[in-house]
Amino acid sequence: MDGRLLILCDELPKDYERYSVKDVYYLRSEIIDPDDNPDQLFVCWDAIIPQDRSFIEGCMHYATTYEQMPVDFRLRETGKIDGKHGNIKGSIQEDSYIHAYDRNIALIRSAVQKGEDASGEAMDLAVQYPMQATQQFLEDFSSMLNRNGIVRVLATHKHDVDNKVVQYRNALLEAWQNQDRFMRENASYVKLLNPMVYEDFGQVYVRALDEIMKIYSLPIFGEEQSEERRYV
């Protein structure tokens, strides 16, 4: 089967001797460099779901209170990045939360321009925002998987990461898999593999090799879609 394995891990995003751990800049790219297109795509967790929740909590605050957002707030994302990309951080989840906020602000402005009940619209959107932002993330995650040709996702967690963080990550991925099939043309139909906890990254590397060999043994793309989905 043609397709890539996404491995989420707690290593810093940078180039290592035998592999490279990617950051959000790689995931945001619309064009994949053929020379940097590994079948096993190692990605830092913070590029997807950051441990530092301060930016996301800030989005929640401004989206539910409509207090004036500081001019520099959008530069306060917390996801770790590879140093070669500078010092402006970011993650898929943080992008999703700010995009959901921007969409709600646009809806309120539209209501004002049309002479509609903008205050009522604002109150409704404030209540809905947490669910909207989460749904936006789930859809953005599927889009990222499709853009990068991912067919399997392996979640790995370093042994010293707080258990609450691990539980949150796994729960959010499970929520994504439950929603993915209902995303119509945006659905990825990617399979979420059983997660693992590791002490040494070599354990992840060995597991990734095993999983990529399983991918190679699957039917190739181009067969009838129903057959393909039966295996994913």
mmCIF file of all heavy atoms in Angstrom, residues 54-77:
data_model
loop_
_atom_site.group_PDB
_atom_site.id
_atom_site.type_symbol
_atom_site.label_atom_id
_atom_site.label_comp_id
_atom_site.label_asym_id
_atom_site.label_seq_id
_atom_site.Cartn_x
_atom_site.Cartn_y
_atom_site.Cartn_z
ATOM 1 N N SER A 54 -1.539 27.584 27.668
ATOM 2 C CA SER A 54 -1.808 29.002 27.913
ATOM 3 C C SER A 54 -2.435 29.704 26.712
ATOM 4 O O SER A 54 -3.350 30.525 26.870
ATOM 5 C CB SER A 54 -0.525 29.722 28.337
ATOM 6 O OG SER A 54 0.492 29.590 27.365
ATOM 7 N N PHE A 55 -1.983 29.387 25.497
ATOM 8 C CA PHE A 55 -2.553 30.045 24.319
ATOM 9 C C PHE A 55 -3.996 29.595 24.101
ATOM 10 O O PHE A 55 -4.879 30.414 23.814
ATOM 11 C CB PHE A 55 -1.713 29.742 23.080
ATOM 12 C CG PHE A 55 -2.195 30.447 21.844
ATOM 13 C CD1 PHE A 55 -1.799 31.751 21.568
ATOM 14 C CD2 PHE A 55 -3.049 29.821 20.946
ATOM 15 C CE1 PHE A 55 -2.244 32.417 20.432
ATOM 16 C CE2 PHE A 55 -3.505 30.481 19.806
ATOM 17 C CZ PHE A 55 -3.101 31.777 19.550
ATOM 18 N N ILE A 56 -4.250 28.313 24.238
ATOM 19 C CA ILE A 56 -5.600 27.784 24.054
ATOM 20 C C ILE A 56 -6.540 28.329 25.127
ATOM 21 O O ILE A 56 -7.685 28.701 24.835
ATOM 22 C CB ILE A 56 -5.576 26.242 24.059
ATOM 23 C CG1 ILE A 56 -4.973 25.752 22.739
ATOM 24 C CG2 ILE A 56 -6.971 25.653 24.277
ATOM 25 C CD1 ILE A 56 -4.772 24.271 22.653
ATOM 26 N N GLU A 57 -6.043 28.413 26.368
ATOM 27 C CA GLU A 57 -6.854 29.003 27.438
ATOM 28 C C GLU A 57 -7.149 30.477 27.144
ATOM 29 O O GLU A 57 -8.243 30.974 27.443
ATOM 30 C CB GLU A 57 -6.129 28.855 28.768
ATOM 31 C CG GLU A 57 -6.081 27.414 29.267
ATOM 32 C CD GLU A 57 -5.141 27.228 30.444
ATOM 33 O OE1 GLU A 57 -4.500 28.233 30.846
ATOM 34 O OE2 GLU A 57 -5.039 26.096 30.950
ATOM 35 N N GLY A 58 -6.172 31.168 26.545
ATOM 36 C CA GLY A 58 -6.389 32.555 26.158
ATOM 37 C C GLY A 58 -7.466 32.671 25.095
ATOM 38 O O GLY A 58 -8.336 33.550 25.161
ATOM 39 N N CYS A 59 -7.432 31.778 24.103
ATOM 40 C CA CYS A 59 -8.467 31.777 23.057
ATOM 41 C C CYS A 59 -9.844 31.555 23.682
ATOM 42 O O CYS A 59 -10.820 32.225 23.315
ATOM 43 C CB CYS A 59 -8.179 30.678 22.036
ATOM 44 S SG CYS A 59 -6.786 30.985 20.939
ATOM 45 N N MET A 60 -9.923 30.612 24.619
ATOM 46 C CA MET A 60 -11.181 30.344 25.299
ATOM 47 C C MET A 60 -11.677 31.593 26.027
ATOM 48 O O MET A 60 -12.868 31.931 25.983
ATOM 49 C CB MET A 60 -10.987 29.201 26.299
ATOM 50 C CG MET A 60 -10.727 27.849 25.660
ATOM 51 S SD MET A 60 -12.241 27.065 25.053
ATOM 52 C CE MET A 60 -13.011 26.638 26.615
ATOM 53 N N HIS A 61 -10.754 32.288 26.682
ATOM 54 C CA HIS A 61 -11.125 33.489 27.437
ATOM 55 C C HIS A 61 -11.681 34.577 26.517
ATOM 56 O O HIS A 61 -12.770 35.115 26.766
ATOM 57 C CB HIS A 61 -9.903 34.011 28.192
ATOM 58 C CG HIS A 61 -10.141 35.309 28.891
ATOM 59 N ND1 HIS A 61 -10.867 35.399 30.066
ATOM 60 C CD2 HIS A 61 -9.782 36.585 28.570
ATOM 61 C CE1 HIS A 61 -10.930 36.655 30.443
ATOM 62 N NE2 HIS A 61 -10.279 37.399 29.558
ATOM 63 N N TYR A 62 -10.952 34.906 25.438
ATOM 64 C CA TYR A 62 -11.381 35.995 24.561
ATOM 65 C C TYR A 62 -12.626 35.626 23.757
ATOM 66 O O TYR A 62 -13.436 36.492 23.419
ATOM 67 C CB TYR A 62 -10.233 36.405 23.639
ATOM 68 C CG TYR A 62 -9.055 36.962 24.390
ATOM 69 C CD1 TYR A 62 -7.814 36.344 24.343
ATOM 70 C CD2 TYR A 62 -9.192 38.100 25.192
ATOM 71 C CE1 TYR A 62 -6.738 36.840 25.068
ATOM 72 C CE2 TYR A 62 -8.124 38.601 25.917
ATOM 73 C CZ TYR A 62 -6.896 37.968 25.849
ATOM 74 O OH TYR A 62 -5.840 38.462 26.574
ATOM 75 N N ALA A 63 -12.805 34.332 23.474
ATOM 76 C CA ALA A 63 -13.970 33.905 22.701
ATOM 77 C C ALA A 63 -15.235 33.857 23.539
ATOM 78 O O ALA A 63 -16.343 33.912 22.994
ATOM 79 C CB ALA A 63 -13.714 32.526 22.087
ATOM 80 N N THR A 64 -15.106 33.778 24.844
ATOM 81 C CA THR A 64 -16.282 33.680 25.705
ATOM 82 C C THR A 64 -16.581 34.971 26.468
ATOM 83 O O THR A 64 -17.685 35.136 26.984
ATOM 84 C CB THR A 64 -16.122 32.519 26.713
ATOM 85 O OG1 THR A 64 -14.913 32.690 27.456
ATOM 86 C CG2 THR A 64 -16.068 31.182 25.986
ATOM 87 N N THR A 65 -15.592 35.875 26.529
ATOM 88 C CA THR A 65 -15.816 37.145 27.234
ATOM 89 C C THR A 65 -15.820 38.346 26.288
ATOM 90 O O THR A 65 -16.331 39.409 26.643
ATOM 91 C CB THR A 65 -14.712 37.385 28.284
ATOM 92 O OG1 THR A 65 -13.445 37.563 27.618
ATOM 93 C CG2 THR A 65 -14.619 36.209 29.251
ATOM 94 N N TYR A 66 -15.223 38.150 25.095
ATOM 95 C CA TYR A 66 -15.079 39.227 24.107
ATOM 96 C C TYR A 66 -14.265 40.409 24.630
ATOM 97 O O TYR A 66 -14.418 41.538 24.173
ATOM 98 C CB TYR A 66 -16.451 39.701 23.590
ATOM 99 C CG TYR A 66 -17.184 38.606 22.874
ATOM 100 C CD1 TYR A 66 -18.304 38.002 23.450
ATOM 101 C CD2 TYR A 66 -16.746 38.138 21.634
ATOM 102 C CE1 TYR A 66 -18.972 36.975 22.800
ATOM 103 C CE2 TYR A 66 -17.402 37.103 20.991
ATOM 104 C CZ TYR A 66 -18.510 36.526 21.565
ATOM 105 O OH TYR A 66 -19.159 35.502 20.925
ATOM 106 N N GLU A 67 -13.388 40.138 25.590
ATOM 107 C CA GLU A 67 -12.437 41.166 25.992
ATOM 108 C C GLU A 67 -11.490 41.442 24.822
ATOM 109 O O GLU A 67 -11.287 40.580 23.953
ATOM 110 C CB GLU A 67 -11.633 40.713 27.211
ATOM 111 C CG GLU A 67 -12.426 40.676 28.500
ATOM 112 C CD GLU A 67 -11.569 40.336 29.702
ATOM 113 O OE1 GLU A 67 -10.321 40.382 29.566
ATOM 114 O OE2 GLU A 67 -12.126 40.014 30.762
ATOM 115 N N GLN A 68 -10.919 42.639 24.801
ATOM 116 C CA GLN A 68 -10.018 43.016 23.715
ATOM 117 C C GLN A 68 -8.790 42.113 23.715
ATOM 118 O O GLN A 68 -8.070 42.016 24.705
ATOM 119 C CB GLN A 68 -9.576 44.475 23.864
ATOM 120 C CG GLN A 68 -8.698 44.991 22.747
ATOM 121 C CD GLN A 68 -9.450 45.063 21.414
ATOM 122 O OE1 GLN A 68 -10.632 45.427 21.376
ATOM 123 N NE2 GLN A 68 -8.766 44.724 20.343
ATOM 124 N N MET A 69 -8.548 41.452 22.597
ATOM 125 C CA MET A 69 -7.388 40.580 22.476
ATOM 126 C C MET A 69 -6.129 41.429 22.261
ATOM 127 O O MET A 69 -6.106 42.289 21.379
ATOM 128 C CB MET A 69 -7.577 39.608 21.310
ATOM 129 C CG MET A 69 -6.422 38.648 21.111
ATOM 130 S SD MET A 69 -6.698 37.524 19.703
ATOM 131 C CE MET A 69 -7.923 36.398 20.398
ATOM 132 N N PRO A 70 -5.073 41.228 23.038
ATOM 133 C CA PRO A 70 -3.834 41.986 22.839
ATOM 134 C C PRO A 70 -3.296 41.828 21.424
ATOM 135 O O PRO A 70 -3.451 40.767 20.803
ATOM 136 C CB PRO A 70 -2.877 41.371 23.865
ATOM 137 C CG PRO A 70 -3.776 40.793 24.913
ATOM 138 C CD PRO A 70 -4.984 40.304 24.178
ATOM 139 N N VAL A 71 -2.677 42.864 20.926
ATOM 140 C CA VAL A 71 -2.165 42.857 19.552
ATOM 141 C C VAL A 71 -1.188 41.714 19.321
ATOM 142 O O VAL A 71 -1.177 41.101 18.248
ATOM 143 C CB VAL A 71 -1.486 44.214 19.238
ATOM 144 C CG1 VAL A 71 -0.856 44.179 17.857
ATOM 145 C CG2 VAL A 71 -2.495 45.347 19.325
ATOM 146 N N ASP A 72 -0.365 41.395 20.336
ATOM 147 C CA ASP A 72 0.662 40.373 20.154
ATOM 148 C C ASP A 72 0.200 38.971 20.565
ATOM 149 O O ASP A 72 1.010 38.028 20.570
ATOM 150 C CB ASP A 72 1.922 40.740 20.939
ATOM 151 C CG ASP A 72 1.680 40.729 22.451
ATOM 152 O OD1 ASP A 72 0.507 40.741 22.872
ATOM 153 O OD2 ASP A 72 2.683 40.708 23.189
ATOM 154 N N PHE A 73 -1.080 38.815 20.885
ATOM 155 C CA PHE A 73 -1.548 37.517 21.385
ATOM 156 C C PHE A 73 -1.298 36.397 20.381
ATOM 157 O O PHE A 73 -0.922 35.284 20.756
ATOM 158 C CB PHE A 73 -3.034 37.579 21.742
ATOM 159 C CG PHE A 73 -3.593 36.251 22.190
ATOM 160 C CD1 PHE A 73 -3.324 35.767 23.456
ATOM 161 C CD2 PHE A 73 -4.362 35.476 21.328
ATOM 162 C CE1 PHE A 73 -3.811 34.539 23.870
ATOM 163 C CE2 PHE A 73 -4.860 34.245 21.729
ATOM 164 C CZ PHE A 73 -4.580 33.776 23.002
ATOM 165 N N ARG A 74 -1.498 36.661 19.115
ATOM 166 C CA ARG A 74 -1.369 35.620 18.088
ATOM 167 C C ARG A 74 0.066 35.109 17.942
ATOM 168 O O ARG A 74 0.292 34.100 17.271
ATOM 169 C CB ARG A 74 -1.885 36.137 16.747
ATOM 170 C CG ARG A 74 -3.384 36.428 16.766
ATOM 171 C CD ARG A 74 -3.833 37.187 15.528
ATOM 172 N NE ARG A 74 -5.227 37.571 15.647
ATOM 173 C CZ ARG A 74 -6.258 36.813 15.274
ATOM 174 N NH1 ARG A 74 -6.031 35.636 14.729
ATOM 175 N NH2 ARG A 74 -7.492 37.232 15.436
ATOM 176 N N LEU A 75 1.003 35.810 18.528
ATOM 177 C CA LEU A 75 2.399 35.379 18.478
ATOM 178 C C LEU A 75 2.788 34.566 19.709
ATOM 179 O O LEU A 75 3.955 34.237 19.889
ATOM 180 C CB LEU A 75 3.321 36.598 18.363
ATOM 181 C CG LEU A 75 3.103 37.490 17.139
ATOM 182 C CD1 LEU A 75 4.053 38.669 17.188
ATOM 183 C CD2 LEU A 75 3.287 36.700 15.849
ATOM 184 N N ARG A 76 1.797 34.250 20.554
ATOM 185 C CA ARG A 76 2.084 33.571 21.821
ATOM 186 C C ARG A 76 1.814 32.071 21.790
ATOM 187 O O ARG A 76 1.717 31.437 22.850
ATOM 188 C CB ARG A 76 1.262 34.207 22.946
ATOM 189 C CG ARG A 76 1.543 35.678 23.178
ATOM 190 C CD ARG A 76 0.676 36.198 24.320
ATOM 191 N NE ARG A 76 0.736 37.659 24.424
ATOM 192 C CZ ARG A 76 -0.001 38.373 25.277
ATOM 193 N NH1 ARG A 76 -0.851 37.743 26.081
ATOM 194 N NH2 ARG A 76 0.097 39.689 25.305
ATOM 195 N N GLU A 77 1.688 31.477 20.607
ATOM 196 C CA GLU A 77 1.481 30.030 20.545
ATOM 197 C C GLU A 77 2.660 29.320 21.206
ATOM 198 O O GLU A 77 3.775 29.853 21.270
ATOM 199 C CB GLU A 77 1.309 29.568 19.097
ATOM 200 C CG GLU A 77 -0.002 30.044 18.476
ATOM 201 C CD GLU A 77 -0.305 29.391 17.138
ATOM 202 O OE1 GLU A 77 -0.020 28.182 16.996
ATOM 203 O OE2 GLU A 77 -0.821 30.075 16.238
#
